[in-house]
Amino acid sequence: MSFLDHLEELRWHIIRSFGAILVFGIAAFLMKDFVWGVLILGPTKPDFWTYEMFCKVSSALGSDAFCIDEMPFIIQSRKMTGQFSMHIVSSVVIGLIVAFPYAFWEIWRFVSPGLYDNERKLSRGAVFFVSLLFSLGVLFGYFLVTPISVNFLGNYQVDETILNEFDITSYVSIVITLVLACGLLFQLPIVVYFLSKAGVISPEALVKYRKHAIVVILIIAALVTPPDPITQLLVTFPLLLLYQVSIYISRVVVRKREEKMAEEEAQSSL
């Protein structure tokens, strides 16, 4: 295929990806009651699943310290276009999240023919694992990081005379940022896998610069989360765990690469 043919092929993959996002986005836009009443505004309600689980754990420990009876804040729209614009933004984001596996599969269909047979074989299952990690990150961000952040910020007061009345734009921005950031940050093992395959990084380097990585993870957690230490730690701990998993993945990749090189040298010497 010529360069222009490749561009034409890429264009259709991108069009199909955006088409899927658009279809799911329109569906989310039409399901306004469920999307807003259950999903987006769910973390603002005391009967949200995460809060109920915290209350059950607290009750099992003989306390009700983590039970939430009310959320002492209100969400309002201070702009004429506030609710409509957030309705569109939330629909697009939900469409992106739901269509992500298909969109990534489309892009992978364009990239994979350019790989060598051994590279294509070693990268088998990439779509599944990328989609799985993204979904786990989104669920982690929505069911754990977001409700704790909303509860902390919604209850925080410097003085009792100051009421917490949040604009809908601010609230939706926090929810979207936390959910998407967790989904992307959970791709760390995949990134390490391909960088290890390319020989860019090694498990020795990951171990050597582990302390530096911890600092970088803390900075990233501080950038993508609200300014409260609880949420930052909630994002930091799984990232540290994923970093440790990435070290193991890098070791496996490098070991297999060295074994293959040894086999090729042995065959060439015969």
Side-chain angles (χ1 to χ4, degrees):
M1 295 176 63
S2 64
F3 177 73
L4 292 179
D5 290 334
H6 279 293
L7 288 181
E8 179 67 14
E9 185 71 16
L10 176 61
R11 184 173 75 89
W12 280 107
H13 284 293
I14 294 176
I15 289 175
R16 285 192 290 268
S17 299
F18 276 103
I21 296 173
L22 180 62
V23 169
F24 285 110
I26 292 175
F29 186 87
L30 297 177
M31 298 171 62
K32 180 180 66 174
D33 294 339
F34 173 77
V35 169
W36 278 87
V38 177
L39 293 181
I40 296 179
L41 295 179
T44 67
K45 301 176 181 179
D47 60 350
F48 188 61
W49 182 84
T50 304
Y51 302 141
E52 290 185 345
M53 292 301 103
F54 284 163
C55 186
K56 290 181 180 179
V57 173
S58 180
S59 299
L61 297 176
S63 173
D64 60 351
F66 295 103
C67 293
I68 298 175
D69 297 325
E70 62 176 351
M71 303 294 283
F73 64 87
I74 62 172
I75 298 176
Q76 56 186 338
S77 178
R78 296 187 178 91
K79 297 180 180 179
M80 185 71 70
T81 59
Q83 295 195 51
F84 180 71
S85 60
M86 287 301 99
H87 190 188
I88 294 177
V89 170
S90 62
S91 300
V92 172
V93 172
I94 292 176
L96 173 62
I97 292 174
V98 177
F100 179 84
Y102 175 78
F104 184 79
W105 177 70
E106 282 288 349
I107 301 302
W108 185 253
R109 285 177 60 199
F110 175 77
V111 174
S112 58
L115 301 177
Y116 293 107
D117 291 338
N118 61 331
E119 293 175 339
R120 193 180 299 112
K121 181 180 179 181
L122 292 172
S123 59
R124 187 178 300 167
V127 175
F128 171 77
F129 287 108
V130 168
S131 302
L132 176 63
L133 289 174
F134 180 78
S135 300
L136 290 176
V138 167
L139 293 175
F140 176 81
Y142 177 73
F143 283 105
L144 194 60
V145 179
T146 297
I148 291 179
S149 300
V150 170
N151 183 50
F152 175 82
L153 297 175
N155 283 277
Y156 190 84
Q157 287 181 299
V158 294
D159 189 86
E160 294 182 355
T161 60
I162 302 177
L163 301 178
N164 284 332
E165 299 178 352
F166 305 126
D167 187 75
I168 186 175
T169 304
S170 175
Y171 172 78
V172 173
S173 298
I174 286 181
V175 174
I176 290 175
T177 300
L178 292 176
V179 171
L180 290 182
C182 289
L184 294 177
L185 291 175
F186 269 54
Q187 300 299 317
L188 178 61
I190 301 295
V191 174
V192 170
Y193 173 81
F194 283 105
L195 291 179
S196 299
K197 287 290 300 178
V200 177
I201 59 176
S202 65
E204 292 78 14
L206 292 175
V207 173
K208 179 180 179 181
Y209 294 103
R210 180 184 289 152
K211 294 181 179 179
H212 301 79
I214 293 175
V215 175
V216 173
I217 289 174
L218 288 171
I219 294 174
I220 293 175
L223 291 175
V224 301
T225 60
D228 68 279
I230 298 176
T231 307
Q232 292 173 10
L233 290 176
L234 279 175
V235 175
T236 299
F237 287 144
L239 287 180
L240 291 176
L241 178 61
L242 290 174
Y243 187 83
Q244 292 299 123
V245 173
S246 300
I247 294 176
Y248 172 76
I249 293 174
S250 182
R251 284 174 178 166
V252 172
V253 171
V254 171
R255 184 175 68 250
K256 289 184 177 181
R257 188 177 61 197
E258 292 176 349
E259 291 175 354
K260 182 179 179 180
M261 292 176 61
E263 291 178 0
E264 292 177 352
E265 291 178 358
Q267 291 177 357
S268 62
S269 62
L270 297 178

Coordinates of all heavy atoms in Angstrom, one line a residue, residues 190-240:
I190 N 1.0 -2.3 30.7 CA 1.1 -2.4 29.3 C 2.2 -1.6 28.7 O 2.9 -2.0 27.8 CB -0.3 -2.0 28.6 CG1 -1.4 -2.9 29.2 CG2 -0.2 -2.1 27.1 CD1 -1.3 -4.3 28.8
V191 N 2.3 -0.4 29.2 CA 3.4 0.5 28.7 C 4.8 -0.1 29.0 O 5.7 -0.1 28.1 CB 3.3 1.9 29.4 CG1 4.5 2.8 29.0 CG2 2.0 2.6 28.9
V192 N 4.9 -0.6 30.2 CA 6.2 -1.3 30.6 C 6.5 -2.5 29.7 O 7.6 -2.8 29.3 CB 6.2 -1.6 32.1 CG1 7.4 -2.5 32.4 CG2 6.2 -0.4 32.9
Y193 N 5.4 -3.3 29.4 CA 5.6 -4.5 28.6 C 6.2 -4.1 27.2 O 7.2 -4.7 26.8 CB 4.2 -5.2 28.4 CG 4.3 -6.3 27.5 CD1 4.7 -7.6 27.9 CD2 3.8 -6.1 26.1 CE1 4.7 -8.6 27.0 CE2 3.8 -7.2 25.3 CZ 4.3 -8.4 25.7 OH 4.3 -9.5 24.8
F194 N 5.6 -3.1 26.6 CA 6.0 -2.8 25.2 C 7.4 -2.1 25.2 O 8.2 -2.3 24.3 CB 5.0 -1.9 24.5 CG 3.8 -2.7 24.0 CD1 2.6 -2.6 24.7 CD2 3.9 -3.5 22.9 CE1 1.5 -3.3 24.2 CE2 2.8 -4.2 22.4 CZ 1.6 -4.1 23.1
L195 N 7.7 -1.3 26.3 CA 9.0 -0.7 26.4 C 10.1 -1.7 26.7 O 11.2 -1.6 26.2 CB 9.0 0.4 27.5 CG 8.1 1.7 27.2 CD1 8.2 2.6 28.4 CD2 8.6 2.4 25.9
S196 N 9.7 -2.7 27.4 CA 10.7 -3.8 27.7 C 10.9 -4.6 26.4 O 12.0 -5.1 26.1 CB 10.1 -4.7 28.8 OG 10.0 -4.0 30.0
K197 N 9.8 -4.8 25.6 CA 10.0 -5.5 24.4 C 10.9 -4.8 23.4 O 11.7 -5.4 22.7 CB 8.6 -5.7 23.7 CG 7.7 -6.7 24.4 CD 8.2 -8.2 24.2 CE 8.3 -8.5 22.7 NZ 8.9 -9.9 22.5
A198 N 10.8 -3.5 23.5 CA 11.6 -2.6 22.6 C 13.0 -2.4 23.1 O 13.9 -1.9 22.4 CB 11.0 -1.3 22.4
G199 N 13.3 -2.9 24.3 CA 14.6 -2.8 24.9 C 14.9 -1.4 25.5 O 16.1 -1.0 25.7
V200 N 13.9 -0.6 25.6 CA 14.0 0.8 26.1 C 14.3 0.8 27.6 O 15.1 1.5 28.1 CB 12.8 1.6 25.8 CG1 12.9 3.0 26.4 CG2 12.6 1.7 24.3
I201 N 13.6 -0.1 28.4 CA 13.8 -0.2 29.8 C 14.1 -1.7 30.2 O 13.8 -2.6 29.4 CB 12.6 0.3 30.6 CG1 11.3 -0.5 30.2 CG2 12.3 1.8 30.3 CD1 10.1 -0.2 31.0
S202 N 14.6 -1.9 31.4 CA 14.9 -3.2 31.9 C 14.4 -3.3 33.3 O 14.2 -2.3 34.0 CB 16.4 -3.4 31.8 OG 17.1 -2.5 32.7
P203 N 14.2 -4.5 33.8 CA 13.8 -4.7 35.2 C 14.8 -4.1 36.2 O 14.5 -3.6 37.2 CB 13.7 -6.2 35.3 CG 14.4 -6.8 34.2 CD 14.4 -5.8 33.1
E204 N 16.1 -4.2 35.8 CA 17.2 -3.6 36.7 C 17.0 -2.1 36.8 O 17.1 -1.6 37.9 CB 18.5 -4.0 36.1 CG 18.9 -5.4 36.2 CD 18.3 -6.2 35.1 OE1 17.7 -5.6 34.1 OE2 18.3 -7.5 35.2
A205 N 16.7 -1.5 35.7 CA 16.5 0.0 35.8 C 15.2 0.3 36.6 O 15.2 1.3 37.3 CB 16.4 0.5 34.3
L206 N 14.2 -0.5 36.4 CA 13.0 -0.2 37.2 C 13.2 -0.4 38.7 O 12.7 0.4 39.5 CB 11.8 -1.2 36.8 CG 11.3 -1.0 35.3 CD1 10.3 -2.1 35.0 CD2 10.7 0.4 35.2
V207 N 14.0 -1.3 39.1 CA 14.3 -1.5 40.5 C 15.3 -0.4 41.0 O 15.1 0.1 42.1 CB 15.0 -2.9 40.7 CG1 15.5 -3.0 42.1 CG2 14.0 -4.0 40.4
K208 N 16.2 -0.1 40.1 CA 17.2 1.0 40.5 C 16.5 2.3 40.8 O 16.9 3.0 41.7 CB 18.3 1.1 39.4 CG 19.3 2.1 39.7 CD 20.3 2.2 38.6 CE 21.4 3.3 38.9 NZ 22.4 3.4 37.8
Y209 N 15.6 2.6 39.9 CA 14.9 4.0 40.0 C 13.6 3.9 40.7 O 12.7 4.7 40.4 CB 14.8 4.6 38.6 CG 16.1 4.9 38.0 CD1 16.7 4.1 37.0 CD2 16.9 6.0 38.4 CE1 17.9 4.4 36.4 CE2 18.1 6.3 37.8 CZ 18.6 5.5 36.8 OH 19.8 5.8 36.3
R210 N 13.4 2.9 41.5 CA 12.1 2.7 42.2 C 11.8 3.9 43.1 O 10.6 4.4 43.1 CB 12.1 1.4 43.0 CG 10.8 1.2 43.8 CD 10.9 -0.1 44.6 NE 11.0 -1.3 43.8 CZ 11.6 -2.4 44.2 NH1 12.2 -2.4 45.4 NH2 11.6 -3.5 43.4
K211 N 12.8 4.4 43.8 CA 12.5 5.6 44.7 C 12.1 6.8 43.9 O 11.2 7.5 44.3 CB 13.8 5.9 45.5 CG 14.1 4.8 46.5 CD 15.4 5.1 47.3 CE 15.7 4.0 48.3 NZ 16.9 4.4 49.1
H212 N 12.8 7.0 42.7 CA 12.4 8.1 41.9 C 11.0 7.9 41.3 O 10.2 8.8 41.2 CB 13.4 8.2 40.7 CG 14.8 8.4 41.1 ND1 15.6 7.4 41.5 CD2 15.6 9.5 41.2 CE1 16.8 7.8 41.8 NE2 16.8 9.1 41.6
A213 N 10.6 6.6 41.0 CA 9.3 6.3 40.5 C 8.2 6.6 41.6 O 7.1 7.1 41.2 CB 9.2 4.9 40.1
I214 N 8.5 6.3 42.8 CA 7.6 6.6 43.9 C 7.3 8.1 44.0 O 6.1 8.6 44.1 CB 8.1 6.1 45.2 CG1 8.2 4.6 45.2 CG2 7.3 6.6 46.4 CD1 8.8 4.0 46.5
V215 N 8.4 8.9 43.8 CA 8.2 10.4 43.8 C 7.3 10.8 42.7 O 6.4 11.7 42.8 CB 9.5 11.1 43.8 CG1 9.3 12.6 43.7 CG2 10.3 10.8 45.1
V216 N 7.6 10.3 41.5 CA 6.8 10.6 40.3 C 5.4 10.2 40.5 O 4.4 11.0 40.1 CB 7.4 10.0 39.0 CG1 6.5 10.2 37.8 CG2 8.8 10.5 38.8
I217 N 5.1 9.0 41.0 CA 3.8 8.6 41.3 C 3.0 9.5 42.2 O 1.8 9.8 42.0 CB 3.8 7.1 41.8 CG1 4.2 6.2 40.7 CG2 2.4 6.7 42.3 CD1 4.4 4.7 41.1
L218 N 3.7 9.9 43.3 CA 3.1 10.8 44.2 C 2.7 12.2 43.6 O 1.7 12.7 43.8 CB 4.0 11.1 45.4 CG 4.2 9.9 46.4 CD1 5.4 10.2 47.4 CD2 2.9 9.7 47.1
I219 N 3.6 12.6 42.7 CA 3.3 13.9 42.0 C 2.1 13.7 41.0 O 1.2 14.6 41.0 CB 4.6 14.3 41.2 CG1 5.7 14.7 42.1 CG2 4.2 15.5 40.3 CD1 7.0 15.0 41.5
I220 N 2.1 12.6 40.3 CA 1.0 12.3 39.4 C -0.3 12.2 40.2 O -1.4 12.8 39.8 CB 1.2 11.1 38.6 CG1 2.4 11.3 37.6 CG2 0.0 10.7 37.8 CD1 2.8 10.0 36.9
A221 N -0.3 11.5 41.3 CA -1.5 11.4 42.2 C -2.0 12.8 42.7 O -3.2 13.0 42.8 CB -1.2 10.5 43.3
A222 N -1.0 13.6 43.0 CA -1.4 15.0 43.4 C -2.0 15.8 42.3 O -2.8 16.7 42.6 CB -0.1 15.7 44.0
L223 N -1.5 15.6 41.1 CA -2.0 16.4 40.0 C -3.4 16.0 39.5 O -4.2 16.8 39.1 CB -1.0 16.3 38.8 CG 0.3 16.9 39.0 CD1 1.2 16.7 37.8 CD2 0.2 18.5 39.2
V224 N -3.7 14.7 39.6 CA -5.0 14.2 39.0 C -6.1 14.1 40.1 O -7.2 13.8 39.7 CB -4.8 12.8 38.3 CG1 -3.8 12.9 37.2 CG2 -4.4 11.8 39.4
T225 N -5.8 14.3 41.3 CA -6.8 14.2 42.4 C -7.0 15.5 43.1 O -6.2 16.5 43.0 CB -6.3 13.2 43.4 OG1 -5.1 13.6 44.0 CG2 -6.2 11.8 42.8
P226 N -8.1 15.7 43.8 CA -8.3 16.9 44.6 C -7.3 17.0 45.6 O -6.6 16.0 46.0 CB -9.7 16.7 45.2 CG -10.4 15.7 44.3 CD -9.3 14.8 43.8
P227 N -7.1 18.2 46.2 CA -6.0 18.4 47.2 C -6.4 17.9 48.6 O -6.4 18.6 49.5 CB -5.9 20.0 47.2 CG -7.3 20.4 46.9 CD -7.8 19.5 45.9
D228 N -6.6 16.6 48.6 CA -6.8 16.0 49.9 C -5.9 14.7 50.0 O -5.8 14.0 49.0 CB -8.3 15.6 50.2 CG -8.8 14.5 49.3 OD1 -9.1 14.8 48.2 OD2 -8.8 13.4 49.8
P229 N -5.3 14.5 51.1 CA -4.3 13.4 51.2 C -4.9 12.0 51.1 O -4.3 11.1 50.6 CB -3.7 13.6 52.6 CG -4.7 14.3 53.4 CD -5.3 15.2 52.4
I230 N -6.2 11.8 51.5 CA -6.8 10.5 51.4 C -6.9 10.0 50.0 O -6.6 8.9 49.6 CB -8.2 10.5 52.1 CG1 -8.0 10.9 53.6 CG2 -8.9 9.2 52.0 CD1 -9.3 11.0 54.3
T231 N -7.4 10.9 49.1 CA -7.6 10.5 47.7 C -6.3 10.3 47.0 O -6.1 9.4 46.2 CB -8.4 11.7 47.0 OG1 -9.6 11.9 47.7 CG2 -8.7 11.2 45.6
Q232 N -5.3 11.1 47.4 CA -4.0 11.0 46.8 C -3.4 9.6 47.2 O -2.8 8.9 46.3 CB -3.1 12.1 47.2 CG -3.5 13.5 46.7 CD -2.7 14.6 47.3 OE1 -1.7 14.4 48.0 NE2 -3.1 15.8 47.0
L233 N -3.5 9.2 48.4 CA -3.0 7.9 48.8 C -3.8 6.8 48.1 O -3.2 5.7 47.8 CB -3.1 7.8 50.3 CG -2.2 8.6 51.2 CD1 -2.4 8.5 52.6 CD2 -0.7 8.3 50.8
L234 N -5.1 6.9 47.9 CA -5.9 5.9 47.3 C -5.4 5.7 45.8 O -5.5 4.6 45.3 CB -7.4 6.3 47.2 CG -8.2 6.1 48.5 CD1 -9.6 6.6 48.4 CD2 -8.2 4.6 48.8
V235 N -5.0 6.7 45.2 CA -4.4 6.6 43.8 C -3.0 6.1 43.8 O -2.6 5.3 43.0 CB -4.5 7.9 43.1 CG1 -3.9 7.9 41.7 CG2 -6.0 8.4 42.9
T236 N -2.3 6.5 44.9 CA -0.8 6.2 44.9 C -0.6 4.7 45.2 O 0.2 4.0 44.5 CB -0.2 6.9 46.1 OG1 -0.3 8.3 45.8 CG2 1.3 6.6 46.2
F237 N -1.4 4.1 46.1 CA -1.2 2.7 46.4 C -1.4 1.7 45.3 O -0.5 0.8 45.0 CB -2.1 2.3 47.6 CG -1.6 2.9 48.9 CD1 -2.5 3.3 49.9 CD2 -0.3 3.0 49.2 CE1 -2.1 3.8 51.1 CE2 0.2 3.6 50.4 CZ -0.8 4.0 51.3
P238 N -2.5 1.8 44.5 CA -2.6 0.9 43.4 C -1.5 1.1 42.3 O -1.1 0.2 41.6 CB -4.0 1.1 42.8 CG -4.4 2.4 43.4 CD -3.7 2.6 44.7
L239 N -1.1 2.4 42.1 CA 0.0 2.7 41.2 C 1.3 2.0 41.6 O 2.1 1.5 40.8 CB 0.1 4.2 41.0 CG -1.0 4.9 40.2 CD1 -0.6 6.4 40.1 CD2 -1.1 4.3 38.8
L240 N 1.6 2.0 42.9 CA 2.8 1.4 43.4 C 2.7 -0.1 43.2 O 3.7 -0.8 42.8 CB 3.0 1.7 44.9 CG 3.3 3.1 45.2 CD1 3.4 3.3 46.8 CD2 4.7 3.5 44.6

